[in-house]
């Protein structure tokens, strides 16, 4: 157990009880996350704990099944036989769903103030036999019914109370203690009362609306707002496990406004200093469940994770029934004696933090997930609470966690898309083969439900920026490079993929050149964007013949025709207008002060120049207020020659840079021609803006 060297003294009117006289007994047949949480809170306040039942098989039922708990009574009765000190005060509490909110001194003081030899926790609801309701003594204020999950008393009185017990392990402790309490003679002789106003014990079942977190003077604890009390022991009895988990994210002193997260640096597993061969082996399961944009980028980022590649095992699934996929990868980890972790990642996750896997492993939790967001939305890959029917509900702290106002480790009821589980947990608590199956829930919800029911805490960390999750709802797959169309659905990812890395310097640092008067030159597209646009147009293949008659345009006649494909022919006109508005319009407004544009166009197209097809373009004005001309491939590599000459200024741009845009007025002043391409194939995209 946990021993204390300190002697806390509580002075009261009737007698003196030392905190050293207090022994906490609890029953725990397994070391669950809840048990570890209980022990941590006890250690925080220097309680002396004795654990009963370790190594036994639990036969006392649980809150979802018929009454049980008799095993606790048997173990307690046996433990009390060894205690001879008549002044010894015994606290018996559950452990998996209990946390201490304050220390032994306050507990004993409140026990003394109750002026009884045995004090039970009190309940709003009667259980398990409602027919006994009328036999409970009436109280002027407070809760009327006994709760067996927590009680405190002097050893001799507890021995007397348990002397009649001869039940089976599966019998109801709640019913046994209730019958003692409603028997006036027994109640009087043992000297039992209830903690009606939750001064010592707070049972959450039937009382969720009464309990709030109270942050004050560098402390955090639960407050009962109905009775204005500060209970010492919080019990998530019955179906309130999620609520005790929520409170347990803060109590005792795990997260406070003054200190932030105090738990986050405890029990870590540092990886720094290890040889590569000493890193834990991780099986990574990657799941492609539906058509998803930027898949190639996902694998590039996976490759960039800072983790020894020879300590990773990869399992990739593509459009197979979801839970069958996960079984295979989970089993791959379970069955591999070297596997220490299973890392599940959906392919729509954007892995922005190269240290992610190391960070998660070092936190040393059986189950941990990095918080993921969606840009511009309050969506995350976790739920802070569940509704009554098991679906999403917003917890009181959800917004603060999502927005980074509270940073730490959060025990939550649901995570999806990405998580890390210890292999030992998969081999023990989560060894069932049907973890992802349910007649009513989708695989993710079924999985989380079973993880919760096994008592495994699902932690989410938001202490670092880890990444985001793509929007996949409207992803169309009828093009060659479907990601080009993602400028609306996933604008952040689209920009990272397709907008030149130096574009931000154009406006911020003035990275803009003027090769000819009032002609501006700036980087806008990545090489990938240029490559994808060319390949998309060649894949479409319906190049115009470069003739004057052109049914694609209003009036059907083109004065200065090119061999081209219009953006609207490939269904890219809305996306192209969005691109011009977001990336060309700001530069236009900067370089031509006083002019504002909504980037409207009638004509935007990709032009192909070839020596044996159309090598050049005769002098002309554009049907635009301004024109954006983007070079899509590289002179000297893909073609020889080419360029643009502005006749009025006798000025040429002879070496267009791939991905750079030329911005120039279309009419009146900037009469220009396309210079001959003498070898290879040259591609440019042209937009006549504000015709």
């Amino acid at each position: 157990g946990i021993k204390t060297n300190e002697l806390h003294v509580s002075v009261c009117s009737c007698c003196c009880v030392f905190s050293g006289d207090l022994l906490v007994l609890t029953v725990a047949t397994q070391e669950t996350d809840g048990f570890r949480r209980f022990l941590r809170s006890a250690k925080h306040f220097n309680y002396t704990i004795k654990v009963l039942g370790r190594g036994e098989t639990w036969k006392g039922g649980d809150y979802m099944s018929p009454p049980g708990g008799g095993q606790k009574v048997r173990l307690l009765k046996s433990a009390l036989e060894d205690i001879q000190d008549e002044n010894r005060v015994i606290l018996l509490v559950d452990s998996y769903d209990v946390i201490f909110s304050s220390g032994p001194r306050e507990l004993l003081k409140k026990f003394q103030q109750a002026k009884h030899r045995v004090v039970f926790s009190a309940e709003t609801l009667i259980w398990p036999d409602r027919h006994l309701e009328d036999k409970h003594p009436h109280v002027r204020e407070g809760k009327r019914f006994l709760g067996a999950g927590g009680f405190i008393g002097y050893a001799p009185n507890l021995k007397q109370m348990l002397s009649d017990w001869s039940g089976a392990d599966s019998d109801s402790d709640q019913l046994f203690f209730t019958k003692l309490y409603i028997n006036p003679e027994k109640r009087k002789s043992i000297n039992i009362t209830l903690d009606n106003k939750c001064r010592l014990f707070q049972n959450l079942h039937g009382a969720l609306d009464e309990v709030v977190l109270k942050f004050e003077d560098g402390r955090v604890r639960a407050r009962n707002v109905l009775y204005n009390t500060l209970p010492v022991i919080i019990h998530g009895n019955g179906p309130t496990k999620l609520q005790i988990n929520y409170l347990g994210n803060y109590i005792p002193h795990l997260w406070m406004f003054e200190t932030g997260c105090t738990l986050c640096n405890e029990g870590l597993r540092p990886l720094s200093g290890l040889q590569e061969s000493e890193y834990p082996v991780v099986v990574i399961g990657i799941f492609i469940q539906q058509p998803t944009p930027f898949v190639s980028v996902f694998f590039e980022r996976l490759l960039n994770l800072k983790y020894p590649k020879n300590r990773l095992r990869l399992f990739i699934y593509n459009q197979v029934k979801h839970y069958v996929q996960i079984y295979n990868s989970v089993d791959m980890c379970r069955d591999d004696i070297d596997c220490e972790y299973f890392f599940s990642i959906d392919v729509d996750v954007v892995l922005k933090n190269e240290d992610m896997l190391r960070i998660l492993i070092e936190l040393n939790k059986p189950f941990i997930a990095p918080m993921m967001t969606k840009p511009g939305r309050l969506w995350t890959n976790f739920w802070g609470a569940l509704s009554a029917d098991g679906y999403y509900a917003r917890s009181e702290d959800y917004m603060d966690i999502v927005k980074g106002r509270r940073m730490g480790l959060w025990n939550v009821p649901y995570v999806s898309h990405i998580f890390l589980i210890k292999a030992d947990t998969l081999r023990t608590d989560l060894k069932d083969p049907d973890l992802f199956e349910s007649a009513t829930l989708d695989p993710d919800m079924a999985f989380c439900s079973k993880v919760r029911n096994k008592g495994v805490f699902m932690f989410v960390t938001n202490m670092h920026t880890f990444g985001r999750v793509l929007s996949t709802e409207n992803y169309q797959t009828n093009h060659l490079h479907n990601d080009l169309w993602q400028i609306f659905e996933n604008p952040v990812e689209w920009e990272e993929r397709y907008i030149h890395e130096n574009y931000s310097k154009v406006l911020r640092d003035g990275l803009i050149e003027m090769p000819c008067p009032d002609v501006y030159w700036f980087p806008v597209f990545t090489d990938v964007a240029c490559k994808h646009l060319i390949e998309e147009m060649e894949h479409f293949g319906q190049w115009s013949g470069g003739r004057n008659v052109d049914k694609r345009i209003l009036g059907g006649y083109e004065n200065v025709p090119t061999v081209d494909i219009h953006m609207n022919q490939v269904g890219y006109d809305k996306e192209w207008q969005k691109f011009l508005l977001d990336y060309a319009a700001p530069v236009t407004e900067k370089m031509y002060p006083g002019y504002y544009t909504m980037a409207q166009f009638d004509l935007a197209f990709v032009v192909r120049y070839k020596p044996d097809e159309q090598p050049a373009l005769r002098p002309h004005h554009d049907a635009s207020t301004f024109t954006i001309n983007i070079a899509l491939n590289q002179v000297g590599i893909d073609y020889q020659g080419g360029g643009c000459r502005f006749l009025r200024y006798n000025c040429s741009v002879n070496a267009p840079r791939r991905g750079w845009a030329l911005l120039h007025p279309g009419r009146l002043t900037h009469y220009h021609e396309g210079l001959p391409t003498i070898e290879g194939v040259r591609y440019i995209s042209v937009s006549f803006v504000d015709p």
Side-chain angles (χ1 to χ4, degrees):
I2 299 168
K3 301 297 180 188
T4 174
N5 298 319
E6 295 182 55
L7 203 63
H8 298 301
V9 182
S10 170
V11 181
C12 55
S13 57
C14 51
C15 60
C16 289
V17 180
F18 298 92
S19 56
D21 290 335
L22 175 68
L23 175 65
V24 181
L25 297 179
T26 191
V27 174
T29 55
Q30 292 176 280
E31 284 213 15
T32 64
D33 283 341
F35 178 70
R36 284 186 283 271
R37 172 180 63 191
F38 168 80
L39 279 191
R40 188 194 180 283
S41 73
K43 183 178 181 181
H44 181 82
F45 294 113
N46 284 326
Y47 282 97
T48 303
I49 305 287
K50 184 175 182 182
V51 180
L52 310 177
R54 273 187 168 153
E56 282 198 16
T57 301
W58 178 249
K59 300 172 185 172
D62 61 46
Y63 77 92
M64 292 185 291
S65 60
Q71 190 170 354
K72 279 194 299 189
V73 186
R74 170 175 62 78
L75 291 166
L76 175 61
K77 184 177 180 180
S78 173
L80 286 173
E81 289 171 1
D82 299 333
I83 297 172
Q84 307 304 324
D85 182 357
E86 294 195 355
N87 291 319
R88 177 56 67 101
V89 177
I90 306 294
L91 169 69
L92 183 95
V93 285
D94 291 349
S95 60
Y96 300 154
D97 51 8
V98 168
I99 45 179
F100 288 102
S101 187
S102 187
R105 182 185 299 205
E106 181 180 332
L107 178 72
L108 288 169
K109 181 179 178 182
K110 289 179 173 178
F111 171 52
Q112 295 289 315
Q113 290 169 346
K115 294 184 169 60
H116 281 72
R117 303 283 290 180
V118 176
V119 179
F120 271 86
S121 71
E123 297 257 22
T124 307
L125 309 168
I126 184 167
W127 184 83
D129 187 348
R130 293 181 184 173
H131 299 100
L132 300 177
E133 178 174 346
D134 292 341
K135 297 187 177 180
H136 280 72
H138 283 275
V139 294
R140 277 184 305 176
E141 187 184 5
K143 301 181 186 298
R144 186 178 162 201
F145 306 113
L146 175 143
F151 54 87
I152 185 170
Y154 288 96
N157 302 72
L158 296 183
K159 286 182 181 180
Q160 179 188 349
M161 183 173 75
L162 298 179
S163 59
D164 293 340
W165 173 262
S166 58
D169 282 359
S170 57
D171 286 354
S172 171
D173 60 333
Q174 173 80 20
L175 194 57
F176 172 72
F177 291 128
T178 297
K179 286 182 174 177
L180 282 176
Y181 176 65
I182 63 176
N183 180 320
E185 290 77 22
K186 295 273 190 187
R187 184 167 72 243
K188 186 174 181 182
S189 67
I190 301 169
N191 198 219
I192 304 174
T193 191
L194 302 187
D195 179 31
N196 305 103
K197 295 185 184 177
C198 308
R199 300 180 76 245
L200 291 86
F201 303 97
Q202 177 68 63
N203 291 314
L204 294 178
H205 191 28
L208 293 177
D209 294 340
E210 300 171 17
V211 181
V212 298
L213 284 170
K214 174 183 167 65
F215 296 92
E216 189 173 279
D217 301 328
R219 296 185 66 186
V220 57
R221 57 189 301 179
R223 175 170 171 246
N224 185 301
V225 294
L226 187 60
Y227 308 119
N228 196 25
T229 53
L230 296 171
V232 177
I233 294 150
I234 318 298
H235 183 198
N237 58 321
T240 62
K241 307 306 175 209
L242 304 188
Q243 286 76 16
I244 191 70
N245 288 351
Y246 169 77
L247 295 172
N249 284 329
Y250 296 91
I251 301 168
H253 311 158
L254 297 187
W255 192 97
M256 292 171 291
F257 289 101
E258 295 86 351
T259 61
C261 178
T262 61
L263 174 69
C264 298
N265 295 318
E266 290 185 7
L268 301 180
R269 177 182 183 171
L271 296 178
S272 57
L274 293 184
Q275 301 293 321
E276 283 201 357
S277 60
E278 296 173 312
Y279 272 67
V281 171
V282 181
V283 169
I284 304 181
I286 295 162
F287 303 101
I288 308 173
Q289 299 169 59
Q290 70 264 330
T292 304
F294 305 108
V295 170
S296 59
V297 182
F298 171 87
F299 285 102
E300 289 168 16
R301 290 197 168 113
L302 186 71
L303 191 62
N304 289 334
L305 285 179
K306 291 178 181 173
Y307 202 88
K309 300 301 180 282
N310 62 355
R311 308 303 284 168
L312 299 176
R313 312 282 184 266
L314 218 55
F315 228 71
I316 304 171
Y317 302 92
N318 187 7
Q319 296 175 335
V320 183
K321 196 174 181 186
H322 179 50
Y323 55 74
V324 174
Q325 304 168 2
I326 299 186
Y327 289 161
N328 294 339
S329 55
V330 167
D331 286 343
M332 179 180 174
C333 180
R334 278 193 190 120
D335 298 342
D336 181 351
I337 194 169
D338 294 325
C339 177
E340 286 193 56
Y341 291 92
F342 172 61
F343 193 24
S344 175
I345 318 175
D346 289 354
V347 80
D348 55 359
V349 167
V350 180
L351 303 166
K352 290 294 289 178
N353 190 323
E354 294 178 351
D355 295 312
M356 178 189 297
L357 184 52
R358 291 171 54 105
I359 290 167
L360 296 179
I361 288 173
E362 288 188 334
L363 286 170
N364 201 21
K365 298 292 180 194
F367 187 117
I368 183 82
M371 186 182 83
M372 295 283 168
T373 59
K374 287 189 177 180
R377 292 167 60 180
L378 289 173
W379 184 97
T380 63
N381 63 321
F382 78 93
W383 297 348
L386 295 184
S387 62
D389 55 358
Y391 287 86
Y392 170 82
R394 181 176 288 181
S395 61
E396 194 178 323
D397 56 2
Y398 181 79
M399 298 286 287
D400 283 344
I401 294 171
V402 173
K403 294 188 172 184
R405 291 192 289 260
R406 300 185 187 184
M407 300 178 73
L409 281 170
W410 312 100
N411 179 359
V412 299
Y414 173 88
V415 300
S416 62
H417 289 82
I418 178 169
F419 51 83
L420 181 78
I421 307 183
K422 284 187 177 179
D424 285 347
T425 304
L426 290 174
R427 295 179 187 122
T428 53
D429 296 325
L430 302 180
K431 64 179 180 290
D432 293 356
D434 62 344
L435 281 175
F436 298 89
E437 289 186 58
S438 167
T440 54
L441 301 173
D442 69 36
D444 283 339
M445 291 177 66
F447 172 65
C448 290
S449 174
K450 286 171 184 176
V451 173
R452 290 194 306 270
N453 291 340
K454 292 291 184 182
V456 175
F457 289 173
M458 293 180 282
F459 284 100
V460 164
T461 172
N462 67 336
M463 291 186 294
H464 301 79
T465 299
F466 292 105
R468 53 187 179 266
V469 173
L470 297 173
S471 173
T472 59
E473 294 87 354
N474 300 310
Y475 187 52
Q476 303 296 316
T477 56
N478 49 348
H479 304 284
L480 179 65
H481 293 296
N482 300 290
D483 295 350
L484 280 169
W485 274 257
Q486 286 294 297
I487 190 168
F488 291 107
E489 297 293 325
N490 291 292
V492 175
E493 199 66 14
W494 190 93
E495 178 175 304
E496 288 189 1
R497 185 70 162 155
Y498 292 128
I499 295 300
H500 198 287
E501 62 179 358
N502 290 328
Y503 173 79
S504 60
K505 297 179 182 177
V506 173
L507 298 174
R508 190 184 68 224
D509 304 332
L511 177 63
I512 194 161
E513 299 178 21
M514 190 169 72
C516 298
D518 273 335
V519 176
Y520 299 102
W521 205 13
F522 60 93
V524 67
F525 271 159
T526 60
D527 290 352
V528 172
C530 297
K531 180 174 182 286
H532 283 191
L533 260 178
I534 292 170
E535 290 176 355
E536 194 65 47
M537 294 305 179
E538 287 293 359
H539 178 72
F540 180 71
Q542 297 178 28
W543 295 95
S544 68
R547 292 179 290 272
N548 295 104
V549 176
D550 191 342
K551 294 178 181 176
R552 298 173 302 168
I553 61 174
L554 195 64
Y557 187 84
E558 171 57 69
N559 239 348
V560 189
T562 51
V563 174
D564 58 44
I565 294 173
H566 291 186
M567 294 298 179
N568 62 7
Q569 287 181 266
V570 294
Y572 202 61
D573 42 334
K574 288 186 178 66
E575 289 76 10
W576 192 254
Q577 201 256 337
K578 170 77 170 159
F579 157 70
L580 292 174
L581 189 61
D582 288 355
Y583 300 100
V587 182
T588 306
E589 292 169 6
K590 178 182 173 73
M591 303 323 295
Y592 302 110
Y595 183 77
Y596 300 98
T597 178
M598 292 303 292
Q600 301 295 327
F601 63 86
D602 289 336
L603 290 176
F605 46 92
V606 171
V607 180
R608 182 173 74 184
Y609 290 113
K610 292 167 70 173
D612 59 350
E613 189 177 65
Q614 180 183 12
L617 193 61
R618 66 180 175 84
H620 61 282
H621 282 115
D622 292 339
S624 69
T625 302
F626 66 92
T627 295
I628 301 286
N629 175 336
I630 305 172
L632 297 180
N633 57 349
Q634 190 61 52
V635 65
I637 297 173
D638 302 309
Y639 63 91
Q640 302 293 334
C644 183
R645 176 170 172 258
F646 295 92
L647 280 71
R648 178 184 175 92
Y649 308 105
N650 191 24
C651 178
S652 298
V653 182
N654 287 317
R657 301 166 190 160
R658 179 169 52 190
W660 281 56
L662 280 176
L663 164 65
H664 62 82
R667 296 188 182 88
L668 195 63
T669 55
H670 282 64
Y671 194 56
H672 59 285
E673 65 180 333
L675 300 173
T677 297
I678 57 175
E679 189 179 312
V681 185
R682 177 188 177 211
Y683 297 92
I684 60 173
S685 81
V686 179
S687 306
F688 295 164
V689 187
D690 296 343

